[in-house]
Coordinates of all heavy atoms in Angstrom, one line a residue:
G16 N 207.5 139.9 112.3 CA 206.9 140.3 113.7 C 207.1 141.8 114.0 O 206.6 142.3 115.0
T17 N 207.9 142.6 113.2 CA 208.2 143.9 113.6 C 206.9 144.8 113.5 O 206.6 145.6 114.4 CB 209.3 144.5 112.6 OG1 210.4 143.6 112.6 CG2 209.7 145.9 113.0
S18 N 206.2 144.7 112.4 CA 204.9 145.6 112.3 C 203.9 145.1 113.3 O 203.1 145.9 113.8 CB 204.4 145.5 110.9 OG 205.3 146.0 109.9
R19 N 203.9 143.8 113.6 CA 203.0 143.3 114.6 C 203.2 144.0 116.0 O 202.3 144.4 116.7 CB 203.1 141.8 114.8 CG 202.2 141.2 115.8 CD 202.6 139.8 116.2 NE 203.8 139.9 117.0 CZ 203.9 140.2 118.3 NH1 202.8 140.6 119.0 NH2 205.1 140.3 118.8
R20 N 204.5 144.1 116.4 CA 204.8 144.7 117.7 C 204.3 146.1 117.9 O 203.7 146.5 118.9 CB 206.3 144.6 117.9 CG 206.8 143.2 118.1 CD 208.3 143.3 118.5 NE 208.5 143.8 119.8 CZ 209.7 144.2 120.3 NH1 210.8 144.0 119.5 NH2 209.8 144.7 121.5
G21 N 204.5 146.9 116.8 CA 204.0 148.3 116.8 C 202.5 148.4 117.0 O 202.0 149.1 117.8
A22 N 201.8 147.7 116.0 CA 200.3 147.8 116.0 C 199.8 147.2 117.3 O 198.8 147.7 117.8 CB 199.8 147.0 114.8
F23 N 200.3 146.0 117.7 CA 199.7 145.4 118.9 C 200.0 146.2 120.2 O 199.1 146.3 121.1 CB 200.3 144.0 119.1 CG 199.7 143.3 120.3 CD1 198.4 142.9 120.3 CD2 200.5 143.0 121.4 CE1 197.8 142.3 121.4 CE2 199.9 142.3 122.5 CZ 198.6 142.0 122.4
S24 N 201.2 146.9 120.3 CA 201.4 147.7 121.5 C 200.4 148.9 121.6 O 200.0 149.2 122.7 CB 202.9 148.2 121.5 OG 203.1 149.0 120.4
I25 N 200.1 149.4 120.5 CA 199.1 150.5 120.5 C 197.7 150.0 120.8 O 197.0 150.5 121.6 CB 199.1 151.3 119.1 CG1 200.4 152.0 118.9 CG2 197.9 152.2 119.0 CD1 200.6 152.5 117.5
A26 N 197.3 148.8 120.2 CA 196.0 148.2 120.4 C 195.9 147.8 121.9 O 194.8 148.0 122.5 CB 195.8 147.1 119.5
K27 N 197.0 147.3 122.4 CA 196.9 146.8 123.9 C 196.7 147.9 124.8 O 196.1 147.8 125.9 CB 198.2 146.0 124.2 CG 198.1 145.3 125.5 CD 199.4 144.5 125.8 CE 199.3 143.8 127.1 NZ 200.6 143.1 127.4
A28 N 197.3 149.1 124.5 CA 197.2 150.3 125.4 C 195.8 150.8 125.2 O 195.3 151.4 126.2 CB 198.2 151.3 125.0
L29 N 195.1 150.6 124.1 CA 193.7 151.1 124.0 C 192.8 150.1 124.7 O 191.8 150.6 125.3 CB 193.4 151.1 122.5 CG 194.1 152.2 121.7 CD1 193.7 152.1 120.2 CD2 193.6 153.6 122.2
Q30 N 193.1 148.8 124.6 CA 192.3 147.8 125.3 C 193.2 146.7 125.6 O 193.7 146.0 124.8 CB 191.1 147.3 124.4 CG 190.2 146.3 125.1 CD 189.2 145.7 124.1 OE1 189.0 146.2 123.0 NE2 188.5 144.6 124.6
P31 N 193.3 146.4 126.9 CA 194.3 145.4 127.4 C 194.1 144.0 126.7 O 195.1 143.2 126.5 CB 194.2 145.3 128.9 CG 193.7 146.7 129.2 CD 192.8 147.1 128.1
D32 N 192.9 143.7 126.5 CA 192.6 142.3 125.9 C 192.2 142.5 124.4 O 191.3 141.8 123.9 CB 191.5 141.6 126.7 CG 190.2 142.4 126.8 OD1 190.2 143.6 126.4 OD2 189.1 141.7 127.2
A33 N 192.8 143.4 123.7 CA 192.5 143.7 122.3 C 192.6 142.4 121.4 O 193.5 141.5 121.7 CB 193.4 144.7 121.8
D34 N 191.7 142.3 120.5 CA 191.7 141.2 119.5 C 192.9 141.4 118.5 O 193.3 142.6 118.3 CB 190.5 141.0 118.7 CG 189.3 140.5 119.6 OD1 189.6 140.0 120.7 OD2 188.2 140.8 119.3
T35 N 193.3 140.3 117.8 CA 194.3 140.5 116.7 C 193.8 139.7 115.5 O 193.1 138.7 115.6 CB 195.7 139.9 117.2 OG1 195.6 138.5 117.5 CG2 196.2 140.7 118.4
L36 N 194.2 140.2 114.4 CA 194.0 139.5 113.1 C 195.2 139.6 112.3 O 195.6 140.6 111.8 CB 192.8 140.2 112.4 CG 192.4 139.6 111.0 CD1 192.1 138.1 111.1 CD2 191.3 140.3 110.4
D37 N 195.9 138.5 112.2 CA 197.2 138.4 111.5 C 196.9 138.1 110.0 O 196.4 136.9 109.7 CB 198.1 137.3 112.1 CG 199.5 137.2 111.5 OD1 199.7 137.9 110.4 OD2 200.3 136.5 112.0
I38 N 197.2 139.0 109.0 CA 196.9 138.8 107.7 C 198.1 138.5 106.8 O 198.2 138.7 105.6 CB 196.1 139.9 107.1 CG1 197.0 141.2 107.2 CG2 194.8 140.1 107.7 CD1 196.3 142.4 106.4
T39 N 199.2 137.9 107.5 CA 200.5 137.7 106.9 C 200.4 136.6 105.8 O 201.0 136.8 104.7 CB 201.5 137.4 107.9 OG1 201.6 138.4 108.9 CG2 202.9 137.2 107.2
L40 N 199.7 135.5 106.0 CA 199.7 134.4 105.1 C 198.7 134.7 104.0 O 197.5 134.8 104.3 CB 199.5 133.1 105.8 CG 200.5 132.7 106.8 CD1 200.3 131.3 107.4 CD2 201.9 132.7 106.1
G41 N 199.1 134.6 102.8 CA 198.3 135.0 101.7 C 197.3 134.0 101.2 O 196.3 134.4 100.5
E42 N 197.5 132.8 101.5 CA 196.5 131.8 101.0 C 195.1 131.7 101.7 O 194.2 131.2 101.3 CB 197.1 130.3 101.0 CG 197.2 129.7 102.4 CD 198.5 130.1 103.1 OE1 199.2 130.9 102.7 OE2 198.8 129.5 104.2
K43 N 195.1 132.4 102.9 CA 193.9 132.5 103.7 C 193.0 133.6 103.2 O 193.4 134.5 102.6 CB 194.2 132.8 105.1 CG 195.0 131.7 105.9 CD 195.2 132.0 107.3 CE 196.0 130.8 108.0 NZ 196.2 131.1 109.4
Q44 N 191.7 133.3 103.4 CA 190.7 134.4 103.0 C 190.2 135.1 104.3 O 189.7 134.4 105.2 CB 189.5 133.7 102.4 CG 188.4 134.7 101.9 CD 188.9 135.7 100.9 OE1 189.3 135.2 99.7 NE2 188.9 136.9 101.1

Side-chain angles (χ1 to χ4, degrees):
T17 307
S18 296
R19 180 198 67 80
R20 289 185 66 192
F23 183 66
S24 64
I25 293 170
K27 186 177 180 181
L29 292 173
Q30 181 185 350
D32 58 346
D34 290 339
T35 60
L36 178 57
D37 185 350
I38 60 172
T39 304
L40 296 183
E42 73 275 7
K43 294 184 179 180
Q44 181 65 63

